[in-house]
Amino acid sequence: GGGEVVSKKKQDLKKVKFVDPKAMISAVDTLLKRMPTAPPAGQYDTAVVHAYIKNEVYERFKKNPEVMTGIANAYYKYEGARKNWVIKGVSVPDTFLITNYFCKDSLVAYKYIDHAISADSTYGQSYLLGGNIQRDEGHYLEAIKWYRRGMKNAPKSPDNYLAFAKLVINSDTTSALKAVRELAKNDTIYPANLELARMYYDIDQLAYALDYFEKAFWADSAKRSNFSETDYLNYMASAQVTYNLTYGRYLKNLKPGAKKDSAMQTLYNTAMLHTKRFYNVASYGLGLYPENEGLIRQAFYLTQRLEMNDTAKVYAEKLFAMPNVKLITDDYLTYAKLFAAMGDLPSA
């Protein structure tokens, strides 16, 4: 009694029984991906798919905000593949399929976002999708409004806070920080400082990134489990750049054992304290990711700087022996400094 969506073999959609909301979302996503991106060409009837989603899926799951939001997301991002395309006045051969053409239908998407909010106004993903659509279309002020609605109605859902903060961190850093702090207040176990570190790293504000990486790592050891392998690498990169800018140009030509005046001695001591701290982080990261080339390299550099020669040599040998390693100039120069410090000038 209903329409059909034709694939390699015919299938009456009304006979398909979906119980799991995620399965339903996946099915709708698959249906929309099979739709043509222009008026029906005969293989998949667009009107039938729309009607099926409206009459069957909506009626069955209209009280489920997850499914309603999933349908909205599918409508906005579904891809189409069809023949007989005309691109810039040139007809594309029938044998050529376009598979990555995005058929974003934000009008229908927002209809289902409204259904999701009607079902549960505290479901944060609905507002997030509403904001993401506006962001993708370049309407940043409207995106901010959607994210703020999500922050207000779903205060313990982190995604809207983070999406808002990432969108405004360059133009309105104060508001971005305030949003993440509000998230931390509403969800005390969320790693807010780590998120701020990631945001600052992404916009090349490495001194700020390092500050928040430090807070995230040292302030609460229980939250260290949120650090990813990439976080440790970015932590080390931020530390190296910040160290070079703060101390490196002063200590660059300082020879081991050379006499220092009081100001230089204070600077040197502070630099070594930071170096020891950074090495502890690199060492901790290597405990989790022992074959990470970047962390091994940083541990090598840091222990050489700390004059932990035997330990530095172990890291150096491991680095140079790694398969497919991409050695850089500083690897050789640091190894040379290490040999020189150990009195092996020929090897240096």
Side-chain angles (χ1 to χ4, degrees), residues 265-338:
Q265 185 66 56
T266 300
L267 183 69
Y268 178 82
N269 292 341
T270 304
M272 291 303 102
L273 284 173
H274 281 84
T275 302
K276 181 66 174 177
R277 189 176 176 91
F278 299 150
Y279 170 62
N280 287 337
V281 176
S283 179
Y284 187 92
L286 281 171
L288 301 172
Y289 310 103
E291 300 303 316
N292 186 286
E293 178 184 321
L295 290 176
I296 293 171
R297 174 176 284 110
Q298 289 302 316
F300 166 37
Y301 291 180
L302 292 164
T303 48
Q304 187 276 325
R305 191 184 298 160
L306 289 166
E307 300 178 19
M308 299 166 58
N309 295 336
D310 292 336
T311 304
K313 193 169 187 292
V314 171
Y315 285 123
E317 290 173 348
K318 184 171 184 177
L319 176 66
F320 276 71
M322 293 186 76
N324 304 316
V325 64
K326 296 180 180 179
L327 296 170
I328 59 177
T329 302
D330 280 348
D331 296 337
Y332 292 100
L333 294 177
T334 306
Y335 213 170
K337 291 177 184 177
L338 175 60

Side-chain angles (χ1 to χ4, degrees), residues 186-202:
N186 291 328
D187 185 351
T188 56
I189 65 172
Y190 195 82
N193 284 325
L194 179 57
E195 287 292 355
L196 284 169
R198 291 167 176 167
M199 289 180 201
Y200 276 118
Y201 189 88
D202 287 343

Side-chain angles (χ1 to χ4, degrees), residues 215-274:
K215 290 176 180 177
F217 185 85
W218 296 102
D220 187 349
S221 59
K223 293 181 181 178
R224 290 180 189 174
S225 60
N226 294 289
F227 273 76
S228 67
E229 190 170 0
T230 300
D231 288 328
Y232 282 105
L233 289 172
N234 293 346
Y235 192 159
M236 291 295 98
S238 302
Q240 183 173 348
V241 170
T242 304
Y243 177 93
N244 288 342
L245 291 174
T246 308
Y247 307 109
R249 61 179 178 269
Y250 299 108
L251 303 176
K252 184 177 180 180
N253 299 316
L254 189 64
K255 295 180 180 180
K259 188 176 181 179
K260 313 174 187 68
D261 60 31
S262 58
M264 183 57 74
Q265 185 66 56
T266 300
L267 183 69
Y268 178 82
N269 292 341
T270 304
M272 291 303 102
L273 284 173
H274 281 84

Side-chain angles (χ1 to χ4, degrees), residues 13-203:
L13 291 170
K14 286 198 172 186
K15 294 179 181 178
V16 181
K17 302 298 181 184
F18 291 103
V19 178
D20 180 10
K22 286 183 168 50
M24 187 74 258
I25 294 168
S26 177
V28 171
D29 193 59
T30 300
L31 282 175
L32 291 175
K33 284 178 179 176
R34 290 176 178 174
M35 279 172 50
T37 59
Q43 188 176 12
Y44 303 114
D45 191 330
T46 306
V48 170
V49 175
H50 287 318
Y52 173 73
I53 293 172
K54 178 181 178 182
N55 297 328
E56 295 297 320
V57 182
Y58 169 71
E59 287 301 325
R60 191 178 305 176
F61 288 95
K62 60 186 177 183
K63 294 186 181 300
N64 188 316
E66 180 186 8
V67 174
M68 294 298 101
T69 304
I71 295 173
N73 185 54
Y75 265 111
Y76 186 60
K77 72 176 180 60
Y78 74 84
E79 298 173 296
R82 67 180 296 270
K83 300 178 181 180
N84 299 321
W85 277 92
V86 176
I87 300 177
K88 294 183 178 179
V90 179
S91 179
V92 179
D94 288 353
T95 55
F96 185 81
L97 289 178
I98 297 176
T99 57
N100 291 318
Y101 185 84
F102 280 83
C103 312
K104 297 179 177 177
D105 193 337
S106 57
L107 290 178
V108 179
Y110 276 112
K111 181 173 72 174
Y112 282 98
I113 288 173
D114 288 340
H115 289 325
I117 293 173
S118 296
D120 184 356
S121 62
T122 66
Y123 187 65
Q125 294 300 308
S126 306
Y127 305 100
L128 178 70
L129 179 59
N132 288 348
I133 293 173
Q134 294 294 336
R135 180 202 62 199
D136 292 347
E137 294 182 342
H139 306 146
Y140 300 118
L141 293 179
E142 291 302 315
I144 287 172
K145 290 178 182 178
W146 274 98
Y147 296 144
R148 285 190 180 280
R149 285 179 65 190
M151 291 157 61
K152 179 181 178 181
N153 292 291
K156 291 191 176 182
S157 177
D159 294 327
N160 286 288
Y161 293 94
L162 299 178
F164 170 81
K166 289 176 182 177
L167 188 61
V168 306
I169 193 166
N170 265 322
S171 59
D172 188 355
T173 306
T174 301
S175 293
L177 293 174
K178 182 179 178 181
V180 178
R181 290 192 185 108
E182 187 177 346
L183 167 60
K185 181 180 178 181
N186 291 328
D187 185 351
T188 56
I189 65 172
Y190 195 82
N193 284 325
L194 179 57
E195 287 292 355
L196 284 169
R198 291 167 176 167
M199 289 180 201
Y200 276 118
Y201 189 88
D202 287 343
I203 62 172

